[in-house]
Amino acid sequence: VTNYDKLPVAVSQAAPFAVSIDQPQVPLVRDGSLKLKVRAQRNGYDGKIDVRMIWNPPGVSAPALLSIPEKQNEIEYELTANATAEVRNFKITVLAEADTGNGIVTVASPFVNLSIEEPYVKMKMNMAMVNQGASGEMVCELENLRPFDGKAKIQIMALPAKATAPEVEVSKDDTTVAIPVAAADETPVGQHKNMFCTLVVTVNGQPITHRVGMGGVLRVDPKPKEPAKPAAPAAPGKPAAVAKTDAPAKPLSRLEQLRQEAQKQAAAKK
């Protein structure tokens, strides 16, 4: 450990840019995300500005570095909270750095308040099954933890390739929701895991994004085979030849029988 009784301080020209964070109007909820609006105020510098968080509250993660592109003035910096994020208020700030031609210039934004709160809704995604080229439903069970006004929007994420599901709406009174799921002919067969939903509750006109139903499973079965077509009838041809048979002999009358016998006896005497 080294102790110093003096602190070096240098005075320089004013930085050619500054940054600020728009005060969030809604909380970041556990298992949710929140996009911070970071703005640059430029004063003669139009180049790229790198932005990063100085530190993250417990249970909160953020990109290591984002950049405000050249000649642009704002970006969205997304924070994500896990299920054990500490529920309380925090003061947060970002650092901004840029090479202005006279070395690296670093400035910090003014602090803003970040509130971390419990989620509004929990959800369980029940396993669903669908055939290739067909549609089905994924039934989800809802547990409303906190009341909210209006409708919340739900969207399934991490679906397998070529499968689709529309955005659906629920209210605070709903306990289940059936989300239609459609698979294409090319959707891979098998069990597709690790799906989840984004659930967005709107408060004071601002979205509060949840990640719910973690670990959803969709089973895709092969497309059913089409039934075999009946055999085509034989092509018409010539009728088979019928063997000719002699017509049955005409029965002899009694007189003709006597004549034949007389002829046989005369022939025998000769």
Side-chain angles (χ1 to χ4, degrees):
V1 177
T2 303
N3 295 321
Y4 296 93
D5 59 2
K6 294 181 180 180
L7 177 66
V9 176
V11 178
S12 67
Q13 293 180 346
F17 63 90
V19 292
S20 62
I21 305 172
D22 287 2
Q23 173 61 54
Q25 300 301 308
V26 292
L28 169 62
V29 296
R30 284 179 166 178
D31 274 334
S33 61
L34 175 68
K35 293 181 179 180
L36 299 176
K37 183 78 72 174
V38 179
R39 301 181 187 274
Q41 297 81 45
R42 298 180 181 272
N43 184 23
Y45 175 72
D46 292 330
K48 181 186 71 169
I49 302 173
D50 295 329
V51 179
R52 59 186 173 88
M53 295 283 291
I54 295 179
W55 72 285
N56 297 324
V60 175
S61 60
L65 184 74
L66 290 179
S67 296
I68 301 175
E70 181 180 356
K71 296 183 179 180
Q72 295 188 26
N73 296 324
E74 63 182 52
I75 57 169
E76 288 185 333
Y77 206 115
E78 187 170 31
L79 306 181
T80 302
N82 63 30
T84 61
E86 186 175 349
V87 175
R88 54 166 288 194
N89 292 329
F90 295 92
K91 296 292 187 180
I92 59 171
T93 181
V94 294
L95 286 182
E97 295 181 340
D99 186 350
T100 62
N102 295 316
I104 301 297
V105 175
T106 303
V107 298
S109 71
F111 285 95
V112 295
N113 184 63
L114 174 66
S115 177
I116 299 178
E117 299 181 5
E118 294 286 356
Y120 283 79
V121 180
K122 282 187 177 181
M123 189 176 81
K124 176 186 176 183
M125 299 175 71
N126 294 315
M127 180 176 175
M129 186 277 292
V130 66
N131 290 324
Q132 288 177 314
S135 300
E137 287 186 338
M138 176 166 282
V139 178
C140 305
E141 300 173 18
L142 300 170
E143 181 182 358
N144 293 282
L145 306 177
R146 301 166 60 187
F148 60 90
D149 295 328
K151 299 285 188 177
K153 297 180 179 180
I154 299 177
Q155 180 75 58
I156 298 180
M157 309 301 290
L159 283 165
K162 304 293 185 179
T164 58
E167 183 180 81
V168 298
E169 293 184 338
V170 296
S171 72
K172 66 180 185 300
D173 299 319
D174 291 325
T175 57
T176 60
V177 60
I179 305 176
V181 178
D185 291 342
E186 301 81 10
T187 299
V189 171
Q191 284 195 2
H192 302 275
K193 304 178 181 180
N194 301 321
M195 294 189 300
F196 65 97
C197 289
T198 58
L199 184 147
V200 180
V201 174
T202 301
V203 176
N204 297 325
Q206 300 295 315
I208 301 176
T209 302
H210 302 58
R211 289 176 295 131
V212 294
M214 309 296 287
V217 179
L218 175 66
R219 193 186 82 193
V220 179
D221 289 342
K223 188 175 184 179
K225 294 182 179 179
E226 296 182 0
K229 296 181 179 180
K238 295 180 179 179
V242 179
K244 292 183 179 181
T245 57
D246 294 337
K250 185 179 180 181
L252 299 176
S253 64
R254 180 58 181 163
L255 178 60
E256 290 174 340
Q257 290 176 358
L258 291 174
R259 287 176 180 173
Q260 287 183 0
E261 290 178 1
Q263 292 174 352
K264 289 179 180 178
Q265 290 177 359
K269 291 179 180 181
K270 292 180 179 180

